Each structure stands twice: as structure tokens, then as C-alpha cells.
Amino acid sequence: MHPWGRDRRTLHWFGLTDGWYWIELNGHELLRYSDQTVRRRQADGYVGLPYVDYYVVRLWEDLLQLLPAVLEPVPADLVPFIEADSTGWPERGEHEEDFTAEVWYGDRVLDLGYLRNGPVIRWWRTIINGVDAVTVDWWNRRCEQDLDVTFADPVRGRLVLTTEEFIDAVRDLDRDLMAAMHERITTLEERRVVLPDVEVDLTALRAEHHDRAWLQHALDRRVETDWTAVRAGAALLRRAS
């Protein structure tokens, strides 16, 4: 854990979530760095795990932000659009529907913009012939101008799990993060830790911890999709790609 700030350093709830994280999928570990990248980092003195080293709450927040869209079933006629790769799309033209379709598609993409050469990870839900499932699709991009940071193989992949399994995994992340944070805050409270030149507001830490009960709200929230606009935009983008 590293305090934030320079002249006035603080240690708050977000900063206390500093750690390693990854996503386990049927034997694959998304957000695990490639062996080459791990060796380069170790040569520079890094001694941590071979995974993303950041604030775990960032993954939690971004996943909860996506959750309502991910849990909205994709109509059968739009499945080919959501399954397709967006890299072949043209630059958006004058049609408002293009923008609507792009946003709808992007609402199912995990925000990893804070990572160098971060992968593209997407989820979407389908209910076809009574089968209720969530598909996860990933692409560990290889930037030819920057190969110092890459993620582990397979470079591309797709996995289907039941919607219940997906929701259970999100619940597990929420439970584990909240339990770990409760333990960290309790340790600070019980030991009355004093860090030189670092401001720690234990009352505010505990209050924010209680206020972070966001999961059920994300599960209950429903999106309102303009299906006519999405279909029109999807048709334009697929025709031009």
C-alpha cells in the first residue's frame, strides 16, 4: 500500500485495495503477464506476482459499471454484431445510429485503459433455445511498437458460462474484496497504526467501507436500450466493415 499525494499524503479506502488481480477462466488466467514480460520486470528489480499490480477496487468498480448492460440479453438478430470484432469498423459517419450502436457494443467491454497494452475483454448475455449464458471474449493485443509489455497466451479466446455462474463469480469478487478490506481497516483500528507524515482517517475509512455496498444496486439496475437505433447502427457498421 502506498499513500497518495506529495505535500499532503493520505491513505484512503481506494488506496488500501492495492494488490494483484487476474481473472480465472477454465484454466486460463486473464491479466497475467507473459513470461517474457515477467522476466523483463524481474530484471528491473520487480519481485511481485506475474499479474496486474494495481488497485483491486478498480476492477470491481468497472465490472459493476458493466453489469447491467452485460446482463441485458442480446436479441438473436444482434448476436452476430456483438460477436464480431470491432477493429474493422470505419470511422463514425454522420449517422446518429452509428454512435448508438458503438456505445451499446462498448458498454460490454471492460475498461482497462489504465494498463499498458491492456487486453480487450468483453461479456454479453444470450438466451437461445432456453439456454441462458454469458460469453466472455478476450484479445491480448500485441503492439509491434511496444512488445515490452504483453499478456500470456492464448492471445485470443472465447468461453461460454451460464449466467448463474457469471453472477456467482461477481458475487465472489465482491465478497472477497469486502472481507479483505474489512480486515485491513480493522487492523488499522486495533493497532492504532501511526504512519509518519501520512493522514489516515479511520472513521472515514470505515464509513466508506459501509457505503461500498454497491453490488445489489448494480444487479437490480436495468438499462433502457433503443433497439431500433442499435439495429440501424449495427447494420451500417457491419455493411461498411
Side-chain angles (χ1 to χ4, degrees), residues 25-72:
L25 284 172
N26 195 30
H28 304 309
E29 292 181 327
L30 305 188
L31 302 181
R32 179 190 180 103
Y33 289 109
S34 67
D35 291 342
Q36 298 93 325
T37 295
V38 171
R39 285 194 293 269
R40 290 190 186 98
R41 299 181 79 191
Q42 289 173 340
D44 292 334
Y46 183 75
V47 294
L49 299 178
Y51 306 104
V52 167
D53 181 1
Y54 199 65
Y55 303 100
V56 181
V57 68
R58 180 62 194 267
L59 174 66
W60 176 83
E61 287 182 347
D62 291 336
L63 190 53
L64 294 193
Q65 179 68 29
L66 289 180
L67 201 53
V70 172
L71 292 180
E72 178 188 50

Side-chain angles (χ1 to χ4, degrees), residues 2-20:
H2 303 286
W4 286 24
R6 294 183 180 178
D7 297 333
R8 181 172 174 266
R9 298 197 301 160
T10 61
L11 189 58
H12 44 68
W13 198 92
F14 195 104
L16 275 173
T17 70
D18 193 13
W20 294 275

Side-chain angles (χ1 to χ4, degrees), residues 152-171:
D153 290 331
V155 172
R156 302 205 72 146
R158 182 171 291 180
L159 181 70
V160 179
L161 59 159
T162 68
T163 299
E164 182 179 3
E165 289 173 331
F166 171 74
I167 293 175
D168 285 346
V170 175
R171 290 189 185 279

Side-chain angles (χ1 to χ4, degrees), residues 173-230:
L173 171 62
D174 178 78
R175 183 190 62 247
D176 292 347
L177 175 60
M178 293 305 155
M181 286 302 295
H182 171 75
E183 182 177 342
R184 288 187 177 187
I185 295 170
T186 299
T187 298
L188 290 172
E189 291 170 334
E190 291 178 348
R191 297 181 182 179
R192 298 185 180 277
V193 174
V194 177
L195 302 175
D197 302 320
V198 178
E199 179 182 313
V200 181
D201 188 334
L202 294 177
T203 301
L205 279 176
R206 182 59 68 183
E208 180 169 355
H209 183 66
H210 287 303
D211 289 343
R212 286 273 179 172
W214 296 358
L215 174 60
Q216 196 58 50
H217 175 71
L219 288 169
D220 292 340
R221 186 161 61 90
R222 296 292 180 266
V223 295
E224 297 182 1
T225 298
D226 183 343
W227 293 114
T228 300
V230 171

Side-chain angles (χ1 to χ4, degrees), residues 86-133:
S86 65
T87 55
W89 293 351
E91 291 188 11
R92 181 159 49 91
E94 71 273 8
H95 301 285
E96 185 65 26
E97 292 87 352
D98 293 21
F99 178 71
T100 300
E102 286 181 0
V103 170
W104 180 83
Y105 185 101
D107 282 345
R108 290 149 183 80
V109 180
L110 184 64
D111 181 7
L112 293 171
Y114 55 92
L115 297 180
R116 185 175 164 191
N117 287 340
V120 178
I121 303 176
R122 304 188 294 130
W123 289 272
W124 63 87
R125 181 184 183 185
T126 53
I127 303 176
I128 300 176
N129 297 325
V131 179
D132 189 348

